[in-house]
Amino acid sequence: SLYRSDAGAEPRVRTARRTSISRSKTRHCELASSMSNKPNLPNGFDLRQGTLMCEDIAMPELANRFSTPLYVYSQSAIVTAFNEWRAAFEGARHLVCYAVKANSNIAVLKLLASLGSGFDIVSGGELGRVLAAGGDPQKVVFSGVGKSMAEIDFALKTGIRCFNVESASELALIEKIAGQLGKVAPISIRINPDVDAKTHPYISTGLKANKFGVSADAAIDLYRVTQDSSSLRPVGIDCHIGSQLTEIEPFIESVSHLRNLVLTLGSQGIDLTHIDIGGDLGIRYDDESIPSPKHLISAVRDQLGDLSMELLIEPGRSIVGNAGALLTEVMVIKAGETKHFAVVDAAMNDLLRPALYSAWQNIVEVEKREGNPTIFDIVGPVCETGDFLGKDRSLTLVEGDLLAIMGSGAYSFAMSSNYNTRPRPAEILVSGGIAHVIREREQVEDLWASERL
């Protein structure tokens, strides 16, 4: 399916590889009549008569129409998750700035923009995507430790809400470019509070050992520079300690640092208009216990006390993570001496999180089969031992079966690549009973279209 010139364009009939099992009525007769071990499925996905659905469309139907591997997103799940964040503020002045890096498809961005979302970006490319999707630049905050001259120039000309500044060098560069353009750059300084987010070390961003942000003492000096410059304007303060947080205590500790610094700056005549508390609550991949947005924001507001400042937050994973699944077909069942392998047509280039973070994601049989389960490692065709999507999963499988890797809406397609010269999958956004192709499947010829002999 990766190399068909018409893949993702026209309906096709899927046939099982190296097996006589078909997707006909005979196949459905083999399904379990009852689902005694129902998987824990997020909003937007459920089981109906033993078949996994995304909203009102059966996942096998999507595989037939668009081939596999395939990214499938639930529009209703995205909308519900965003609205939960918005409702958590209960009338307080706020702006929910979706973290574009989580899933940057412009259809997803357009959907969120239509709901009133702001956007947290970390590159000029992400700003371009937000604008292409109809996002409001006045709702864009620009984070990141290495903004280039071209990116700063683009953001200033576009008129973004503010720069989240992470170093003295960056502040000086913004000041220089803003002066050349005759503009005044809105500035928020990112504080590194040295708070342990208790998450994976690769996505922890609030410790002194991390590359992000500056200390409180350094921030005071930067705010003084900003206050005294005719090309800079202090507007906010921000902090980001990591993602996939499962506790609110690290958030509260970091917000306490921000409150103290805001009061110190105010005593020196530097008045700010917003506090950006940064990152995101986690999602449930397995059995994690995740606080609700309402619980978090209520605790944050209690911590801030009587500070009457606009509140910003930058969620990404919690909005789109559980709204997506990666649909893949079992190509080969391989019994090794110590392991059983199910080789699927998705791979680490399509979903990097398991290889990069040793991340666990729920893997669900799309159509439940009767029989005794086997413990499988779910692996891809890429020529790397690290090419696995899940290990030690109890599943009942034959070649040609479909699996859905849940929790694949965030940091999944966005981190994909063409390693091993593999075209990337199509992306589908499901709304009720309608499947929208929001990204066509790449063709193998596309991968060298810009190369030259």
Side-chain angles (χ1 to χ4, degrees):
S1 64
L2 291 174
Y3 305 102
R4 288 169 50 88
S5 61
D6 62 343
E10 296 293 336
R12 69 184 181 96
V13 177
R14 298 180 63 257
T15 56
R17 293 181 174 88
R18 304 175 191 173
T19 179
S20 60
I21 299 294
S22 69
R23 299 284 170 187
S24 64
K25 292 181 180 179
T26 303
R27 169 71 177 89
H28 290 283
C29 290
E30 297 176 352
L31 302 180
S33 59
S34 65
M35 300 295 295
S36 59
N37 295 312
K38 290 186 178 181
N40 180 35
L41 297 174
N43 286 339
F45 297 89
D46 66 357
L47 286 163
R48 298 181 195 171
Q49 297 181 333
T51 298
L52 182 64
M53 309 286 292
C54 180
E55 300 199 15
D56 294 327
I57 303 183
M59 295 289 258
E61 178 185 341
L62 294 174
N64 283 333
R65 291 175 60 188
F66 303 112
S67 189
T68 56
L70 184 70
Y71 274 101
V72 180
Y73 309 127
S74 163
Q75 177 171 304
S76 68
I78 295 172
V79 172
T80 298
F82 178 80
N83 285 337
E84 188 176 2
W85 275 111
R86 186 163 54 184
F89 288 88
E90 297 181 347
R93 289 190 304 129
H94 73 278
L95 180 62
V96 178
C97 293
Y98 169 71
V100 175
K101 61 182 177 289
N103 184 323
S104 59
N105 188 287
I106 61 172
V108 172
L109 302 183
K110 182 178 180 180
L111 172 62
L112 290 167
S114 73
L115 297 172
S117 179
F119 297 95
D120 166 50
I121 64 168
V122 292
S123 73
E126 288 189 349
L127 176 56
R129 280 185 172 272
V130 169
L131 297 177
D136 182 355
Q138 278 294 305
K139 293 182 177 181
V140 172
V141 296
F142 195 164
S143 304
V145 299
K147 305 175 185 72
S148 70
M149 293 180 64
E151 289 173 326
I152 294 169
D153 181 90
F154 180 30
L156 283 167
K157 290 177 179 177
T158 301
I160 66 169
R161 179 188 177 103
C162 76
F163 293 90
N164 289 346
V165 172
E166 307 216 20
S167 68
S169 294
E170 180 190 340
L171 185 64
L173 183 59
I174 294 173
E175 181 180 29
K176 176 182 176 181
I177 297 172
Q180 292 170 346
L181 295 174
K183 293 183 176 292
V184 178
I187 300 298
S188 174
I189 306 298
R190 177 172 176 174
I191 310 304
N192 185 321
D194 196 29
V195 169
D196 184 0
K198 300 179 183 178
T199 187
H200 191 285
Y202 288 6
I203 54 177
S204 176
T205 59
L207 293 170
K208 286 182 178 179
N210 302 138
K211 66 182 179 180
F212 301 98
V214 299
S215 68
D217 289 341
I220 292 172
D221 292 337
L222 295 182
Y223 276 114
R224 288 171 180 158
V225 171
T226 303
Q227 181 86 332
D228 294 339
S229 172
S230 60
S231 299
L232 304 172
R233 183 176 79 256
V235 296
I237 187 168
D238 64 282
C239 178
H240 190 300
I241 59 174
S243 64
Q244 190 52 21
L245 273 69
T246 59
E247 303 175 9
I248 67 169
E249 286 74 16
F251 268 111
I252 302 309
E253 186 178 350
S254 65
V255 169
S256 176
H257 285 277
L258 295 184
R259 173 184 165 80
N260 292 338
L261 191 50
V262 166
L263 294 175
T264 298
L265 292 168
S267 69
Q268 299 179 16
I270 302 172
D271 295 318
L272 307 176
T273 59
H274 78 249
I275 290 182
D276 184 344
I277 65 173
D280 198 0
L281 287 170
I283 63 172
R284 185 174 181 180
Y285 288 107
D286 186 7
D287 58 356
E288 299 93 338
S289 178
I290 309 295
S292 69
K294 183 177 181 179
H295 185 195
L296 171 63
I297 299 304
S298 176
V300 166
R301 292 173 68 179
D302 287 345
Q303 184 65 41
L304 291 176
D306 58 355
L307 287 183
S308 59
M309 300 170 68
E310 186 177 15
L311 275 174
L312 274 62
I313 192 167
E314 301 165 1
R317 188 193 312 262
S318 64
I319 292 176
V320 294
N322 271 334
L326 176 58
L327 187 59
T328 185
E329 181 178 341
V330 177
M331 299 192 297
V332 174
I333 299 292
K334 180 179 179 180
E337 292 186 8
T338 60
K339 282 273 189 179
H340 287 80
F341 300 95
V343 184
V344 298
D345 59 1
M348 64 184 294
N349 72 294
D350 305 308
L351 181 62
L352 186 59
R353 294 187 69 255
L356 181 62
Y357 302 127
S358 295
W360 193 98
Q361 293 183 219
N362 193 16
I363 300 179
V364 177
E365 298 157 334
V366 169
E367 294 176 296
K368 185 69 175 176
R369 177 181 296 282
E370 287 184 334
N372 295 323
T374 300
I375 304 300
F376 288 102
D377 281 6
I378 310 301
V379 301
V382 161
C383 194
E384 296 278 352
T385 302
D387 178 25
F388 64 90
L389 303 175
K391 293 188 175 183
D392 299 322
R393 305 305 175 90
S394 179
L395 300 165
T396 305
L397 299 174
V398 300
E399 293 169 358
D401 279 356
L402 292 171
L403 295 173
I405 305 172
M406 309 307 295
S408 295
Y411 303 107
S412 298
F413 187 95
M415 299 176 74
S416 64
S417 75
N418 296 122
Y419 187 44
N420 281 197
T421 308
R422 288 173 51 86
R424 288 179 295 176
E427 292 178 285
I428 306 296
L429 181 65
V430 175
S431 176
I434 302 174
H436 302 277
V437 180
I438 59 174
R439 182 185 173 96
E440 298 284 352
R441 184 179 305 280
E442 288 179 336
Q443 304 305 312
V444 68
E445 297 86 356
D446 298 337
L447 306 191
W448 59 76
S450 61
E451 299 176 25
R452 296 291 179 266
L453 295 172

